[in-house]
Structure formats: structure tokens, C-alpha cells
Amino acid sequence: KTMLPANMDIIVTCEEKPDVKPECETAMRCIEACGLTDTLKQPGPFTFICPTNAAFQAVLIELNITLEVLLTTEIERCKKIMQCHMVPKRKCKKEFETDVAVATLEATATIKVNASFQVIDPRGRVCNLTKPDVLNTNGVLHLCDKVILPVEA
């Protein structure tokens, strides 16, 4: 068993853990702008599949949108996207059942994990877990290389 500091929830992990923080800055801006910070500070447990900054840069090009627009006029879209990264259970990488739909906090979106431990989003896009199984007090964090998108985002 791993002992964790009592205050090391998913948000604190993303904002303070040295080997994670540099990759989570854009995701944390989105979480805060959407009003989802309190969700990821609750006891959970949660799994947060956190897109890296590079993943956000790529999806903004894919969606033909700027981060500023996503965080302001498109904030509902941003919230749906970020909720696709949140699973209301603690799921370490090897605990996902292969190719079985997993509910996210975005009611209309499920994700799947294939035999190679890649996340498949509702659009069929493949996302790699670049830093899996970062444990914290209210769940687990996995850094990933793509932003998970709901079908209608």
C-alpha cells in the first residue's frame, strides 16, 4: 500500500506534483473555467484521464477553435469535453475491462480501453495513457496524449 498525504486529491496532484504539474496546466484551466474543480475535490473515488498541454494544442486545431474561446463563449462545450475525462470510480490502468463501455461524468459519453490499454473515445479516436496510475486520495490520475471528445462536441 502507498501512503498519500491527506490533502493530495486529484486537483492538488495536478497543480503541485512535480512530475505531473507541467503537463496539466491547460486541463486545470479548463476544469476551473467549467466549475469542475469542486467535483474533483470530492471524496470520489474518481479516475481523471488528464490530457496533456500538447493534447489540447492538437484538439484546438482539430476543432478549429482557440483556448480562449473554449474557456469563454464555448464553456458548455468545454465542460462536456472535460467530463468525458472523468470516471466516477477509481480505475487503475489494468483494472479496465478490455473493450467494455465505461461511463463518464458526461452523461452521453462512454469510453473503452483496448487490450493495449489505449482509451477509445466516443468518436473512435485512440488516446494513449502516457503516465498512468498516479494515485491520490480521491482516485487516480492518468495523463493522456489526446483530448477525449464526445460525439457532439
Side-chain angles (χ1 to χ4, degrees), residues 12-41:
V12 173
T13 300
C14 290
E15 292 178 343
E16 296 181 12
K17 196 165 187 304
D19 60 333
V20 172
K21 178 184 176 180
E23 294 291 344
C24 297
E25 291 163 353
T26 307
M28 289 299 94
R29 284 184 67 191
C30 291
I31 293 292
E32 186 176 324
C34 294
L36 292 170
T37 302
D38 287 345
T39 300
L40 289 179
K41 287 186 108 16

Side-chain angles (χ1 to χ4, degrees), residues 17-87:
K17 196 165 187 304
D19 60 333
V20 172
K21 178 184 176 180
E23 294 291 344
C24 297
E25 291 163 353
T26 307
M28 289 299 94
R29 284 184 67 191
C30 291
I31 293 292
E32 186 176 324
C34 294
L36 292 170
T37 302
D38 287 345
T39 300
L40 289 179
K41 287 186 108 16
Q42 291 174 14
F46 295 103
T47 299
F48 181 42
I49 302 167
C50 182
T52 62
N53 297 328
F56 273 102
Q57 289 174 343
V59 84
L60 292 170
I61 292 167
E62 183 180 338
L63 297 175
N64 194 27
I65 191 172
T66 65
L67 181 60
E68 289 67 33
V69 169
L70 186 64
L71 295 175
T72 56
T73 55
E74 294 283 342
I75 197 65
E76 283 306 310
R77 181 187 206 185
C78 184
K79 186 172 185 176
K80 280 184 171 225
I81 290 169
M82 294 315 296
Q83 287 176 320
C84 286
H85 295 82
M86 301 175 191
V87 175

